[in-house]
Amino acid sequence: MAIERLLKDEATEEKGERARMASFIGAMAIADLVKTTLGPKGMDKILQSTGRGRSVTVTNDGATILKSLHIDNPAAKVLVEISKVQDDEVGDGTTSVVVLAGELLREAEKLIATKIHPMTIISGYRMAAESARNALLQKVMDNKEDAEKFKSDLMKIAMTTLSSKILSQDKEHFAKLAVDAVMRLKGSTNLESIQIIKKPGGSLTDSFLDEGFILDKKIGIGQPKRIENAKILVANTAMDTDKVKIYGARVRVDSMSRVAQIEGAEKDKMKEKVQKIIAHGINCFVNRQLIYNFPEELFADAGILAIEHADFDGIERLALVTGGEIASTFDNPESVKLGHCKLIEEIMIGEDKLIHFSGVEMGQACTIVLRGASFHVLDEAERSLHDALCVLSQTVIDSRVLLGGGWPEMLMAKEVDELARKTPGKKSHAIEAFSRALQAIPTIIADNAGLDSAELISQLRAEHHKEGSTAGIDVITGAVGDMGKLGICESFKVKQAVLLSATEAAEMILRVDEIITCAPRKREDRM
């Protein structure tokens, strides 16, 4: 044995069968973890952090759950990544994509046990995914031309997305909020201009959509409470130097009157700055930093509404919405772009006073105010609403729609099965396995609702062998129902992303035959 060890002492490597087992088991464990959150009757998970404050999150959003986990298994990390990407790309389907990838690997494991080479399985999966996608493409509906129908499609998609979330009780109310907000965007996917404000108190049904922009700040003392035809200067500049800051500076003076002179000079400097700002011909000044009493007083005398400490998120969005730019120097007023809006006033939501900008330059802007019993409920409601908004904004661009409730999966499974019968060789086993993995999704939806999944899925399969069937699982009645009548719709883009990402992730994990873990870096003694 000339070569005793190739790797460092602490490094480990797993080869062949063991490596494959490790990656399969990790991936399936992750899939089983989020499996129970799938579907309208999915359960929530509580995530508790170990950091300070032990913050608690209650959620059933697959991506949120997986993002919060610290995972050691490399294959499981791949699944976490695909759910993150799914969340960024289309917003919904984060759980489905992980579950589907997990099921594909579960099937692959059985095939590998019967001595079928991973590459054969991969090429079978490839063919199956292609055929499944084509099956969906033949069945999509596109109502882009008919505005009424398209809007009702959007409502259905929003209700389907929300029905698996905390908002499922008031899903019509929230679906309407989401559709209205997305329709205002007129086709852009920039969700920046939809602002979501969370205010505890009231119940979820008290949430409402408000056109314009709401800033979570109070109006200062002695300032106009209401301004019409506002010209707004959005700034990020220091307005807190009308007194000498003692801790930073060392000033040697021979008498107290000199200190007063210095303070006077500081004050004049501030006054000059305020004059420059007023010279822009504005009647509302929003600053990201603090504004001290002296400049605030000067603004109030000039009849200008000064809002201080509007956090960065606030001013960025305000600048975007009112069409202004964030300024930090005020020497040449003509080059600064001011923001405009028709009316600024103070409104009350619950106990809090907020500033409401209405009739803003960018007509697409709106604010959704969420009310709810506690912060946990509000956070989860915001996540659910964000998912719905993402899906809708993607659907406005790619308006192809499918039915939901396990219908697309059964449709794809049927098509893939037919392909398996036509395909000679070992690949056909892999293609059949793909179809079984697709059927696992409706199975899990039924299981989560406490229904007899085996019975339901076999009924569904029989239904789907009839031409043009629209059968899916109706979780409410616990039977096979007509998805077209029930109005359960999903966006084609989401389904396609789920199918392709899950297949690619499964393929990537299947290719693994060795896992090498590096030796941990030793801390040197710095003596």
Side-chain angles (χ1 to χ4, degrees), residues 363-423:
Q364 355 182 312
C366 57
T367 302
I368 295 176
V369 179
L370 290 177
R371 309 297 311 274
S374 73
F375 275 115
H376 299 141
V377 175
L378 284 174
D379 286 344
E380 177 61 0
E382 181 189 23
R383 276 191 291 272
S384 315
L385 199 59
H386 185 259
D387 280 7
L389 290 173
C390 288
V391 175
L392 289 175
S393 67
Q394 295 289 345
T395 313
V396 170
I397 293 175
D398 180 349
S399 57
R400 291 173 290 183
V401 181
L402 294 161
L403 296 174
W407 175 83
E409 282 81 10
M410 293 310 285
L411 184 83
M412 294 191 273
K414 178 186 161 206
E415 196 66 30
V416 171
D417 258 344
E418 280 170 15
L419 174 72
R421 295 207 186 94
K422 295 177 204 150
T423 311

Side-chain angles (χ1 to χ4, degrees), residues 56 85 96 104 157 211 235 243 249 273 302 369 373 386 406 466 485:
V56 171
V85 169
S96 317
L104 286 172
I157 288 176
E211 55 94 29
K243 303 183 182 69
K273 188 169 186 181
V369 179
H386 185 259
K466 298 174 190 161
K485 282 198 188 111

Side-chain angles (χ1 to χ4, degrees), residues 466-488:
K466 298 174 190 161
E467 201 50 47
S469 157
T470 55
I473 297 176
D474 180 3
V475 199
I476 312 302
T477 59
V480 172
D482 179 349
M483 295 292 119
K485 282 198 188 111
L486 292 167
I488 297 177

Side-chain angles (χ1 to χ4, degrees), residues 192-421:
E192 286 281 298
S193 49
I194 299 178
Q195 184 197 18
I196 298 181
I197 286 188
K198 298 175 290 196
K199 283 281 165 213
S203 70
L204 281 171
T205 36
D206 299 340
S207 309
F208 61 91
L209 177 93
D210 200 320
E211 55 94 29
F213 181 85
I214 297 179
L215 193 64
D216 198 350
K217 289 280 168 260
K218 293 186 177 64
I219 290 182
I221 299 163
Q223 294 183 349
K225 297 279 186 216
R226 179 188 165 98
I227 291 182
E228 289 181 11
N229 294 333
K231 295 192 183 69
I232 307 165
L233 176 63
V234 185
N236 180 7
T237 180
M239 301 291 285
D240 49 2
T241 50
D242 54 346
K243 303 183 182 69
V244 174
K245 293 252 178 80
I246 300 300
Y247 28 79
R250 282 186 66 178
V251 186
R252 288 209 171 142
V253 287
D254 41 20
S255 71
M256 268 315 279
S257 58
R258 285 297 168 88
V259 178
Q261 269 179 1
I262 293 172
E263 286 203 334
E266 289 272 339
K267 251 187 163 157
D268 289 343
K269 205 167 125 195
M270 193 72 235
K271 201 166 186 176
E272 196 183 344
K273 188 169 186 181
V274 173
Q275 275 347 122
K276 274 184 193 165
I277 292 173
I278 296 174
H280 286 65
I282 54 172
N283 48 14
C284 172
F285 175 68
V286 183
N287 191 17
R288 185 184 160 215
Q289 300 174 26
L290 287 170
I291 302 178
Y292 268 11
N293 312 7
F294 177 62
E296 191 168 46
E297 202 179 297
L298 294 176
F299 281 127
D301 292 344
I304 290 178
L305 165 61
I307 302 167
E308 63 170 6
H309 221 244
D311 51 0
F312 204 69
D313 210 23
I315 66 161
E316 287 241 311
R317 220 178 230 148
L318 185 61
L320 171 86
V321 165
T322 55
E325 283 170 3
I326 299 176
S328 43
T329 55
F330 310 103
D331 291 331
N332 33 3
E334 59 282 347
S335 68
V336 176
K337 203 169 160 212
L338 298 179
H340 295 279
C341 81
K342 291 208 176 84
L343 175 67
I344 301 179
E345 58 184 342
E346 196 171 49
I347 55 169
M348 293 275 289
I349 297 177
E351 307 284 288
D352 302 338
K353 290 183 177 166
L354 305 122
I355 306 171
H356 182 222
F357 297 79
S358 52
V360 290
E361 187 99 342
M362 189 167 156
Q364 355 182 312
C366 57
T367 302
I368 295 176
V369 179
L370 290 177
R371 309 297 311 274
S374 73
F375 275 115
H376 299 141
V377 175
L378 284 174
D379 286 344
E380 177 61 0
E382 181 189 23
R383 276 191 291 272
S384 315
L385 199 59
H386 185 259
D387 280 7
L389 290 173
C390 288
V391 175
L392 289 175
S393 67
Q394 295 289 345
T395 313
V396 170
I397 293 175
D398 180 349
S399 57
R400 291 173 290 183
V401 181
L402 294 161
L403 296 174
W407 175 83
E409 282 81 10
M410 293 310 285
L411 184 83
M412 294 191 273
K414 178 186 161 206
E415 196 66 30
V416 171
D417 258 344
E418 280 170 15
L419 174 72
R421 295 207 186 94

